[in-house]
């Protein structure tokens, strides 16, 4: 039980901290960011499978649980916000599985270091030994190694709302 509470606190802290930092750094911003962590469960009814999303605020999570970490961004002004970049860290206690953003014209970029971002598939160099020699090889990064996701939106119209999320499995 203690591990579940620790994991819940860690996941919540890792999700909320970047959103709060972004908001704190833009005190005059017309953007209102709301972050939430939801537990994704499958429900079977009459042979059909559907998903249920439950807020994790008052419950723990366990290894293997699928979480939806989402940010809802609202433009509270009448003017559009141009070239919006929305970043989300993948909590260290989780492994990235997928992302989605409901904005038109959005570009999703991914990172394994939180500094450099690129479209999928990400590549990295690894050193392997071949015939007794160290050789650098370029390999495709497994998405469960992603540490950050960035959504680039061309604009968010005045009064507009966009929701972007990642799904990640608790380690």
């Amino acid at each position: 039980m203690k591990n579940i509470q620790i994991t819940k606190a860690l996941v919540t802290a890792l999700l909320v901290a970047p959103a709060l930092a972004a908001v704190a750094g833009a005190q005059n911003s017309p953007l209102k960011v709301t972050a939430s962590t939801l537990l994704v469960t499958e429900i079977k009814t009459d042979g059909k499978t559907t998903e249920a999303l439950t807020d994790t605020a008052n419950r723990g999570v366990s290894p293997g649980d699928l979480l939806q970490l989402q940010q809802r961004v609202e433009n509270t002004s009448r003017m559009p916000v141009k070239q919006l970049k929305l970043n989300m860290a993948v909590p260290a206690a989780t492994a990235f599985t997928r992302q989605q953003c409901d904005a038109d014209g959005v570009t999703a970029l991914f990172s394994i270091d939180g500094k450099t971002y690129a479209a999928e598939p990400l590549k990295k160099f690894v050193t392997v030994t071949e015939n007794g020699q160290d050789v650098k090889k370029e390999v495709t990064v497994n998405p469960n190694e992603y540490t950050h996701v960035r959504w680039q939106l061309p604009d968010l119209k005045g009064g507009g709302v966009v929701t972007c999320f990642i799904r990640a499995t608790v380690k």
Side-chain angles (χ1 to χ4, degrees):
M1 184 67 152
K2 188 174 184 180
N3 286 344
I4 292 172
Q5 291 171 339
I6 291 170
T7 302
K8 176 186 161 195
L10 178 62
V11 169
T12 302
L14 290 172
L15 172 66
V16 174
L20 292 177
V23 172
Q27 292 179 6
N28 295 324
S29 173
L31 299 177
K32 177 182 175 186
V33 180
T34 307
S36 56
T37 303
L38 306 167
L39 176 66
V40 181
T41 53
E42 288 187 355
I43 299 173
K44 292 187 180 184
T45 308
D46 298 328
K48 294 182 181 179
T49 302
T50 58
E51 288 185 345
L53 300 175
T54 308
D55 192 342
T56 61
N58 296 316
R59 62 183 301 160
V61 296
S62 301
D65 283 350
L66 181 62
L67 301 178
Q68 180 166 304
L69 309 158
Q70 69 183 30
Q71 294 181 353
R72 180 182 182 274
V73 180
E74 178 182 358
N75 182 353
T76 61
S77 75
R78 289 187 232 157
M79 301 297 297
V81 174
K82 304 268 186 204
Q83 303 301 313
L84 180 62
K85 292 180 183 176
L86 181 60
N87 295 324
M88 182 180 287
V90 178
T94 68
F96 175 88
T97 58
R98 71 180 189 93
Q99 65 79 31
Q100 184 175 319
C101 190
D102 65 8
D104 291 332
V106 67
T107 300
L109 302 174
F110 305 89
S111 177
I112 57 172
D113 62 8
K115 298 174 188 169
T116 57
Y117 289 83
E120 289 184 294
L122 294 187
K123 302 285 187 177
K124 69 178 180 180
F125 286 96
V126 296
T127 302
V128 296
T129 303
E130 290 182 355
N131 300 323
Q133 302 246 345
D134 287 343
V135 178
K136 283 192 175 188
K137 288 197 168 197
E138 186 178 53
V139 297
T140 301
V141 175
N142 189 322
N144 67 14
E145 295 179 58
Y146 295 171
T147 61
H148 294 79
V149 177
R150 173 180 288 163
W151 295 280
Q152 294 183 181
L153 291 75
D155 67 345
L156 182 57
K157 67 181 180 179
V161 176
V162 63
T163 301
C164 301
F165 67 83
I166 65 169
R167 288 213 170 158
T169 304
V170 177
K171 294 180 185 177

